[in-house]
């Protein structure tokens, strides 16, 4: 069942009428609804295109957080074959929020990292809503070291509100674990690509997103702090999150202009949650292009490319 955001109410009303007509036709075969359904469907499609043409930063934030938006597990099932997840940081425990492992992308061996938010109450609790503990980032370092040792490229799917801020996580060295993961990304001699598929929140995101190429889905966000938290700090009022989202410049379009990301993966009108297959195909094309571009580069060149890319951020604003 489709879940609608507040600003999608015109579309929800039209599609509700379509559903009522179809229910009526199911009970009375004599009723002809085709013409009216086609008319309402056209209006709904037009309304959806019009709404998504002028999304505000706050509305994009809502789309990025949509519960039906494809998550890490969806990208794995559609893009990666022979997926073999690996567990544990070899120091403390397994962290289900940050998934890691190896598989094949278009037949090529690949290492994969990503945050999984879950898509039901049970799985959201299991994956801690995609907020990783130190063990998750130490596991990421372990997989990156393996990928580097065996010369296997790395893909990161980023989707987190941020690293888990609990007391236990802080006691076990959350900040240090994030820093080590970020450092390991920079040290890699193999090419890596990061795709922000939903939320890219704070250090919890950048710990696996320091890559040779950083992409964002059109309606994803990437920021140092959530709009609500930022509004609470700066305005002393979380209700001003909409204003904060605009001021933060967190959209893919803003960050492409600043040179923080390299390109945008387009989403059809209605967002990735309505067009999963199309978005998956676009992501596949983007990853394929990246791997082809870096196929002939040496380890030192790959490492220097990444280093120079991040040193250049902010120098031309």
């Amino acid at each position: 069942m489709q879940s609608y955001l507040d600003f999608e109410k015109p579309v929800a009303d039209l599609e509700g009428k379509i559903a009522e007509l179809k229910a009526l036709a199911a009970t009375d075969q004599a009723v002809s609804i085709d013409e009216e359904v086609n008319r309402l469907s056209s209006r709904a499609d037009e309304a959806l295109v019009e709404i998504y043409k002028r999304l505000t930063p706050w509305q994009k934030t809502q789309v990025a957080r949509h519960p039906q938006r494809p998550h890490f597990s969806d990208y794995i099932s559609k893009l990666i074959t022979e997926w073999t997840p690996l567990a544990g940081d070899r120091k403390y425990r397994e962290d289900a929020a940050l998934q890691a492992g190896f598989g094949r992308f278009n037949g090529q061996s690949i290492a994969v990292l990503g945050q999984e938010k879950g898509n039901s109450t049970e799985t959201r609790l299991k994956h801690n809503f995609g907020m990783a503990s130190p063990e998750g980032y130490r596991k990421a370092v372990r997989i990156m070291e393996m990928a580097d040792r065996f010369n296997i490229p790395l893909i990161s799917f980023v989707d987190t509100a941020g690293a888990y801020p609990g007391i236990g996580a802080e006691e076990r060295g959350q900040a240090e674990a994030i820093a080590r993961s970020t450092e390991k990304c920079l040290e890699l001699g193999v090419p890596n690509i990061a795709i922000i598929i939903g939320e890219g929140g704070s250090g919890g995101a950048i710990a696996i997103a320091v890559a040779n190429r950083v992409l964002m889905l059109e309606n994803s966000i990437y920021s140092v702090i959530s709009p609500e938290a930022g509004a609470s700090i700066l305005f002393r009022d979380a209700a001003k999150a909409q204003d904060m989202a605009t001021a933060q410049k967190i959209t893919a379009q803003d960050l492409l202009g600043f040179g923080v990301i390299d390109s945008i993966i387009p989403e059809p009108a209605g967002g990735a949650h309505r067009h999963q297959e199309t978005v998956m195909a676009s992501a596949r094309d983007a990853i394929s292009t990246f791997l082809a571009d870096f196929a002939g580069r040496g380890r030192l060149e790959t490492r220097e490319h990444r280093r120079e890319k991040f040193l250049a951020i902010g120098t031309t604003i």
Side-chain angles (χ1 to χ4, degrees), residues 76-258:
I76 290 296
S77 64
K78 297 291 185 182
L79 302 180
I80 307 297
T81 57
E82 299 182 34
W83 171 240
T84 305
L86 300 181
D89 65 346
R90 298 300 187 265
K91 292 181 174 68
Y92 183 65
R93 68 172 188 186
E94 161 65 350
D95 177 48
L98 202 156
Q99 299 289 295
F102 292 87
R104 292 188 182 277
F105 175 82
N106 290 347
Q108 178 179 354
S109 294
I110 205 83
V112 189
L113 301 174
Q115 290 98 353
E116 171 60 48
K117 286 184 171 180
N119 52 23
S120 65
T121 300
E122 182 181 358
T123 56
R124 284 170 189 145
L125 291 172
K126 174 186 175 182
H127 296 290
N128 198 31
F129 300 87
M131 296 185 294
S133 294
E135 300 77 50
Y137 296 108
R138 292 181 180 126
K139 176 174 64 177
V141 170
R142 186 167 72 87
I143 270 57
M144 284 190 272
E145 287 175 344
M146 291 177 67
D148 205 30
R149 185 179 308 126
F150 295 106
N151 207 34
I152 299 173
L154 172 71
I155 304 171
S156 295
F157 293 105
V158 181
D159 188 15
T160 181
Y164 183 56
I167 293 174
E170 297 297 336
E171 289 175 341
R172 297 193 301 278
Q174 183 71 289
E176 183 268 347
I178 290 171
R180 294 291 183 191
S181 183
T182 306
E183 179 185 42
K184 182 52 65 177
C185 285
L186 286 166
E187 290 177 351
L188 289 174
V190 295
N192 63 330
I193 180 173
I195 304 177
I196 289 84
I197 58 176
E199 288 184 273
S202 194
I206 203 167
I208 62 170
V210 180
N212 291 103
R213 191 165 294 171
V214 181
L215 283 63
M216 289 179 69
L217 263 63
E218 184 177 349
N219 295 317
S220 60
I221 59 170
Y222 195 18
S223 66
V224 71
I225 193 171
S226 71
E228 295 92 336
S232 296
I233 293 170
L234 294 181
F235 303 134
R236 301 285 189 260
D237 184 2
K240 293 187 177 180
Q242 296 187 39
D243 297 332
M244 190 66 194
T246 301
Q248 283 181 288
K249 306 296 183 185
I250 61 178
T251 68
Q253 294 75 15
D254 289 327
L255 295 170
L256 181 63
F258 292 143

